Amino acid sequence: MSDASVALLAQRLSDPVALAARVTASEHADLARTRALWHPQSLADGHAGVALLFAALAHGSPEYARTAHAHLSAAVTGVRRSPREGLYSGLPAVAFAARTAVTGPGQYAGLLGRLDGQVAVLARKLIDADAPRIAAGTAGARMAGYDVIAGLSGLGRLLLAAGSAHRATTELVLAHLVALTRPVTGPGGQSLPGWWTADPILFSEPDGVPGGHFNAGLAHGIPGPLALLSLAYRAGVRVPGQERAIRDIAEWLLARRSTDGTGWPNIVPLDAELTAAAGGRPDLGQVRAGWCYGSPGVARALQLASLALAEPDWNRQAVAAVIATCDRRDGARAHGDATLCHGLAGLATVATLMSREPGGGELTGRIGELTDALRRAADPEHPFLWPAADPDSPTPVHRPGFLDGAAGTALALRLTLDPSAPTGELPWYAALLLA
């Protein structure tokens, strides 16, 4: 099933040279913030992310394959690599986009062979950098070392898709994430879950959280390792302690829900964790309702864990949390905007995928409402139809990319319209660790 807004956006993004010129040209004041974020090799804001839209469309309409290839070429031709590389930046981002664009045997094989090798090198470097701390049982995990965006959860998903050629490195990643779940000695001498971190929640908030915290969002927190460990387990890629790690994370998340029991907080501060560990009920509120933080992302990670270990009760609780998110009276405000990361598209993607799993049928009735909301949010007067919200300004931000931009929203709308549309070996939503 097609949609006019998806086709219109594809038309506006089809020329990579013209798109890059528009985003980066100084005279476009309405794109000023996007200009600062744009990098050709970014999965969030770059040609790699835009290529995901055309790669997905090409699986149903082969004429889009050439456009996907053009954006991939623009991502690697004359481009300086990002100083920090992860799933969403640099060569790993290009590797992910190229793998989603494969429509037949041998396509992009040479490119993927080279890029997958680089991904394996990056993963091993992250493991080596953190191994001494892990071995000593010292607290202080770095989110960028294990998360989906820059860390081992995202790189591990790429390596899992690469198959047997990089099985050894994939198993090293899984073993490191298993080790991440072992207790550590906290700053006050307490025994704490191994993912305690002193990192700030955002780099824009360098003071961090007093006492550190436990990140509960799929983008940067422990649900990312849970999703990867579960996906690998279902694929038969297993290491010692993997099942125990999945159980420990899932049970921790279920015990750290918001006070009303329907969602998850962005983080669990140290004092709240100590209260919960002592059998108390800390005051934790659900702050967001998106993929990056909040119920949708956490719930899908829990559903993947339930499918891996045949724990239907985890799935029931995960589905109930997403239903509650869909039905909240302040849902429009909670969604923020229509994008994937923290907006309506993320919720729609999660709800659609969860509804197709055993025990997820209760969500099916919500998909039509979410689809209609995404359609209503499209405005042809905006350069990329779906603008992103700017928390620091009443003026919307026009971003063409995947994570916080229009390409991701279009992909979500296409998924809700036709969940069974062909996606190839690696679906675009695997970049969100949703599959």
Side-chain angles (χ1 to χ4, degrees), residues 80-323:
R80 181 176 298 177
R81 289 172 64 176
S82 300
R84 293 187 64 181
E85 294 185 299
L87 177 59
Y88 276 79
S89 60
L91 296 183
V94 179
F96 184 92
R99 194 167 289 282
T100 68
V102 172
T103 56
Q107 191 175 16
Y108 294 114
L111 175 65
L112 286 170
R114 295 190 297 274
L115 294 182
D116 289 344
Q118 291 295 312
V119 172
V121 169
L122 290 169
R124 287 174 180 265
K125 284 183 177 179
L126 287 177
I127 292 169
D128 290 344
D130 197 37
R133 182 194 67 80
I134 289 279
T138 304
R142 302 303 306 271
M143 293 190 301
Y146 72 80
D147 74 0
V148 172
I149 300 297
L152 290 172
S153 295
L155 294 178
R157 184 63 186 90
L158 255 178
L159 292 168
L160 185 63
S164 59
H166 294 283
R167 175 73 174 257
T169 306
T170 305
E171 291 176 349
L172 286 177
V173 170
L174 297 175
H176 192 80
L177 295 178
V178 167
L180 181 72
T181 68
R182 296 175 188 146
V184 295
T185 301
Q190 320 95 324
S191 178
L192 300 174
W195 55 93
W196 175 87
T197 182
D199 286 353
I201 306 174
L202 300 171
F203 289 116
S204 59
E205 299 175 0
D207 292 337
V209 180
H213 73 281
F214 303 84
N215 196 292
L218 179 52
H220 299 293
I222 198 61
L226 176 63
L228 179 64
L229 289 167
S230 302
L231 288 165
Y233 195 93
R234 292 184 75 191
V237 183
R238 302 175 184 180
V239 297
Q242 189 169 342
E243 179 177 347
R244 181 71 265 164
I246 292 171
R247 291 189 181 279
D248 286 347
I249 299 171
E251 290 167 0
W252 184 88
L253 285 168
L254 288 168
R256 303 300 185 273
R257 281 177 290 182
S258 55
T259 306
D260 63 7
T262 63
W264 281 270
N266 288 357
I267 65 165
V268 177
L270 178 60
D271 57 352
E273 172 60 24
L274 295 176
T275 297
R281 183 67 183 267
D283 184 13
L284 297 170
Q286 180 180 198
V287 180
R288 283 190 177 180
W291 165 78
C292 54
Y293 286 101
S295 294
V298 179
R300 176 58 171 174
L302 279 169
Q303 186 183 56
L304 292 173
S306 78
L307 295 170
L309 301 188
E311 290 285 354
D313 187 58
W314 297 353
N315 187 51
R316 282 193 291 270
Q317 295 184 69
V319 170
V322 176
I323 289 174

Side-chain angles (χ1 to χ4, degrees), residues 13 43 72 118 143 188 194 210 224 239 271 278 297 304 335 337 383 409 417:
L13 302 185
L43 208 60
L72 287 171
Q118 291 295 312
M143 293 190 301
V239 297
D271 57 352
L304 292 173
H335 299 148
D337 60 24
T409 304
L417 286 167

